[in-house]
Amino acid sequence: MSPEGLLASPDRRLAPGAVVGVCFLTTGRRGHKDAYQAILDGVKGGAKEKRLAAQFIPKFFKHFPELADSAINAQLDLCEDEDVSIRRQAIKELPQFATGDNLPRVADILTQLLQSDDSAEFNLVNNALLSIFKMDAKGTLGGLFSQILQGEDIVRERAIKFLSTKLKTLPEEVMTKEVEEFILTESKKVLEDVTGEEFVLFMKILSGLKSLQTVSGRQQLVELVAEQADLEQTFNPTDPDCVDRLLQCTRQAVPLFSKNVHSTRFVTYFCEHVLPNLSSLTTPVEGLDIQLEVLKLLAEMSSFCGDMEKLESNLKKLFDKLLEYMPLPPEEAENGENAGNEEPKLQFSYVECLLYSFHQLGRKLPDFLTAKLNAEKLKDFKIRLQYFARGLQVYIRQLRLALQGKTGEALKTEENKIKVVALKITNNINVLIKDLFHIPPSYKSTVTLSWKPVQKADASQKRASEDTTSSSPPKKASAGPKRDARQIYNPPSGKYSSNLGSFSYEQRGGFRGGRGRGWGGRGNRSRGRIY
């Protein structure tokens, strides 16, 4: 049948799609606005009409700019149809509407459609967003960030996850410097009001941007984290949210520090505000040794501390806290035995962190122990060091004996993994104590913190020269235990600290429910479709 015959055919089952298609085949666009309107009206028809409309509305969309709004709205109706096959077809065709000024609107619509619970639909939305990303990255980001800032919680959550997983897959020609600057600018707006989990995801997004891989870029990120941590505000150790916020932010900052990106501001805050309140710290995370977690973070940051204004004062605070965990030997009775019932508990995990931090900061003021302390205090410290070192040697011998001859699979048992970590802790403390026993005290020895992977010398030198993140594990991790595998080791006399640590940098759920956006309520928003 000819086109003219099809148009005149009484069989209208092919309408409205065939009608407008034939119109274009025969006479072109002129005079067929009504025919395109018939397609738009097809969204109110039956399933067949809707399927045809889902295909033909976008196909001829560009020819009827005066009907653009009506066309997009009609397609959106199909995106919400009860028939899943019609919805999928309509979603699949949405990128065809992403032209000129319509693109941000289409991006906004697709972002809202991320809330779909149908996996096939959800994948179609993801693919559609990626396709328009390649047309206009900034326009697409505009739609995404619009919903992150103003959309429903489920849409916001999925839009953030989309960015955190998909941006890194886009080619360099799409992720230009201008686009990355736009992401940073918009992210700063979002970070004014986020939950802890959202903050972690945005740090993942931003730290993956090529333009922020430089020294100045990482410095920007550190300043962003410092602002989020609210280091200018008074620290409240009894407020779990305040403590959790500080720890979440510090964990994000630690991998950014290096010899050129200093941790001074964070180390100063920990020394001045956190250490004096260590015993009062509270946390909403069940089972977390919050004091040990804080000391571990301080130890990791201390390696990259720059010039500190109140170095002597902060070093004194650190020294005083160290003394609390390094007891004096028990008094002896006349018969030479201990006068007390129990010997002091030696908390090796805490001491490793504090001694390492003191050793790192002490390098900046090497005469602290000899010139800044009086003779009695120095003598007292040496006695504590000596007593601690004596107990240390006992445990080191016990651990080495327990691990002697064990290799391969035998070292992979939970018990032996814990012993390996314990041996690292005691060896580290032993090395640092030997340094401090020198006359004058020395700060030259280098140790790798027990929960950190051991790095090869050549790899660390290359990393230093390139100024990459110093707290990130190397590409090929050592056989040492992972941070999140730390557990308590109980030697025969039971004198280890109560927990070697079990908290991972990636842990979630540290923010209590019922608090809006966690670090600040986002307020109420309207619900429902806001296309």
Side-chain angles (χ1 to χ4, degrees):
M1 181 180 293
S2 67
E4 292 80 357
L6 184 59
L7 277 172
S9 172
D11 185 358
R12 307 299 292 175
R13 284 177 299 174
L14 295 177
V19 172
V20 78
V22 172
C23 286
F24 272 93
L25 286 172
T26 55
T27 59
R29 175 191 178 279
R30 288 186 181 179
H32 297 298
K33 180 179 176 181
D34 290 343
Y36 189 65
Q37 183 63 53
I39 291 182
L40 302 184
D41 293 339
V43 302
K44 300 172 185 176
K48 291 181 180 179
E49 286 79 6
K50 289 179 180 179
R51 288 194 189 94
L52 283 170
Q55 297 175 53
F56 282 98
I57 290 174
K59 184 173 183 180
F60 299 108
F61 171 73
K62 62 183 178 181
H63 298 289
F64 299 95
E66 68 274 23
L67 292 175
D69 286 342
S70 298
I72 293 174
N73 288 330
Q75 194 78 2
L76 293 183
D77 287 338
L78 296 173
C79 289
E80 295 180 336
D81 196 81
E82 292 182 359
D83 188 326
V84 66
S85 64
I86 293 173
R87 289 203 308 270
R88 291 175 185 174
Q89 180 66 41
I91 291 170
K92 183 180 178 181
E93 303 295 342
L94 273 178
Q96 293 194 52
F97 295 90
T99 56
D101 294 339
N102 292 319
L103 189 140
R105 184 184 177 191
V106 173
D108 189 285
I109 293 164
L110 285 168
T111 305
Q112 292 183 62
L113 292 172
L114 284 170
Q115 64 188 295
S116 173
D117 292 324
D118 180 272
S119 59
E121 249 179 75
F122 184 77
N123 290 333
L124 282 171
V125 174
N126 274 266
N127 292 335
L129 275 169
L130 287 173
S131 69
I132 66 171
F133 235 113
K134 294 169 185 176
M135 300 177 197
D136 181 354
K138 280 185 69 176
T140 306
L141 286 165
L144 281 158
F145 275 104
S146 172
Q147 284 301 313
I148 290 172
L149 287 165
Q150 302 173 17
E152 296 182 50
D153 287 347
I154 182 65
V155 174
R156 175 185 172 101
E157 176 188 335
R158 294 189 180 181
I160 293 173
K161 287 183 178 177
F162 175 88
L163 290 174
S164 69
T165 55
K166 302 298 183 183
L167 284 184
K168 59 188 177 184
T169 68
L170 295 170
E172 286 187 15
E173 57 265 26
V174 173
M175 295 296 290
T176 63
K177 184 179 180 181
E178 183 184 4
V179 169
E180 291 193 346
E181 287 175 354
F182 182 79
I183 293 171
L184 178 59
T185 300
E186 294 301 305
S187 296
K188 287 179 179 179
K189 297 176 185 176
V190 179
L191 288 174
E192 292 176 5
D193 185 11
V194 289
T195 65
E197 184 174 0
E198 289 172 345
F199 173 65
V200 170
L201 287 174
F202 266 100
M203 289 307 299
K204 178 182 176 182
I205 292 167
L206 295 176
S207 59
L209 300 180
K210 186 177 180 181
S211 60
L212 295 179
Q213 300 297 315
T214 61
V215 172
S216 61
R218 281 199 305 282
Q219 187 61 54
Q220 277 190 75
L221 291 178
V222 168
E223 290 168 4
L224 203 62
V225 176
E227 183 179 339
Q228 193 70 212
D230 218 359
L231 299 182
E232 302 300 323
Q233 295 298 313
T234 303
F235 180 67
N236 184 358
T238 60
D239 180 1
D241 298 338
C242 179
V243 175
D244 200 38
R245 181 188 188 116
L246 176 63
L247 263 63
Q248 284 273 32
C249 291
T250 306
R251 291 187 195 104
Q252 296 307 309
V254 164
L256 300 170
F257 297 135
S258 68
K259 67 175 185 176
N260 293 321
V261 181
H262 295 157
S263 59
T264 313
R265 192 174 174 190
F266 280 85
V267 173
T268 299
Y269 191 85
F270 270 57
C271 288
E272 293 181 355
H273 302 283
V274 184
L275 281 183
N277 296 294
L278 193 64
S279 60
S280 304
L281 296 178
T282 54
T283 174
V285 183
E286 187 178 350
L288 172 66
D289 185 341
I290 187 66
Q291 296 181 42
L292 182 57
E293 183 67 14
V294 163
L295 295 179
K296 285 178 180 291
L297 289 171
L298 176 60
E300 291 192 51
M301 293 190 294
S302 64
S303 303
F304 305 111
C305 185
D307 296 333
M308 187 183 287
E309 287 184 14
K310 301 177 181 178
L311 177 59
E312 184 179 337
S313 171
N314 288 327
L315 200 53
K316 177 69 166 54
K317 289 183 175 69
L318 187 53
F319 178 75
D320 289 343
K321 186 57 64 175
L322 175 61
L323 290 185
E324 290 181 21
Y325 293 93
M326 300 198 74
L328 286 165
E331 295 181 5
E332 293 185 354
E334 291 182 2
N335 60 4
E337 296 181 357
N338 290 345
N341 295 326
E342 292 184 3
E343 290 186 356
K345 182 180 180 180
L346 304 183
Q347 295 180 298
F348 293 105
S349 300
Y350 286 56
V351 170
E352 178 195 17
C353 299
L354 286 164
L355 201 56
Y356 182 89
S357 301
F358 179 77
H359 193 266
Q360 292 294 319
L361 297 186
R363 292 175 178 175
K364 301 177 180 300
L365 193 63
D367 64 345
F368 176 80
L369 290 174
T370 54
K372 306 301 180 181
L373 294 180
N374 61 43
E376 281 301 313
K377 283 193 174 182
L378 181 57
K379 180 182 177 182
D380 173 84
F381 183 50
K382 289 289 182 75
I383 291 172
R384 292 171 189 266
L385 282 178
Q386 192 170 31
Y387 174 67
F388 205 96
R390 217 165 47 227
L392 199 64
Q393 294 303 321
V394 173
Y395 292 131
I396 289 175
R397 284 196 297 270
Q398 291 174 347
L399 290 166
R400 285 178 176 167
L401 187 62
L403 293 170
Q404 188 174 4
K406 290 184 171 62
T407 57
E409 292 300 318
L411 288 175
K412 293 180 181 179
T413 66
E414 286 305 308
E415 182 182 353
N416 286 332
K417 282 181 181 180
I418 295 168
K419 289 177 180 177
V420 168
V421 176
L423 186 58
K424 285 184 178 183
I425 292 173
T426 49
N427 279 333
N428 283 347
I429 297 173
N430 192 42
V431 170
L432 297 174
I433 286 179
K434 283 182 179 179
D435 248 18
L436 297 179
F437 260 120
H438 286 164
I439 302 176
S442 171
Y443 299 92
K444 294 181 180 178
S445 293
T446 302
V447 298
T448 300
L449 291 164
S450 60
W451 62 92
K452 303 289 289 183
V454 178
Q455 296 171 338
K456 295 180 181 179
D458 58 344
S460 62
Q461 288 170 4
K462 180 181 179 182
R463 203 180 73 257
S465 65
E466 294 177 353
D467 189 43
T468 56
T469 54
S470 56
S471 293
S472 301
K475 290 182 180 178
K476 294 184 179 180
S478 70
K482 295 181 180 179
R483 180 183 176 102
D484 58 0
R486 289 176 274 145
Q487 299 178 40
I488 172 67
Y489 169 69
N490 292 311
S493 53
K495 293 177 185 173
Y496 262 81
S497 53
S498 61
N499 190 358
L500 287 181
S502 59
F503 197 88
S504 163
Y505 273 134
E506 297 300 318
Q507 181 155 348
R508 301 287 186 268
F511 297 82
R512 299 180 300 177
R515 294 187 298 128
R517 279 271 159 224
W519 293 344
R522 291 178 62 216
N524 297 320
R525 281 188 211 78
S526 61
R527 291 293 182 259
R529 174 166 144 185
I530 55 172
Y531 307 128

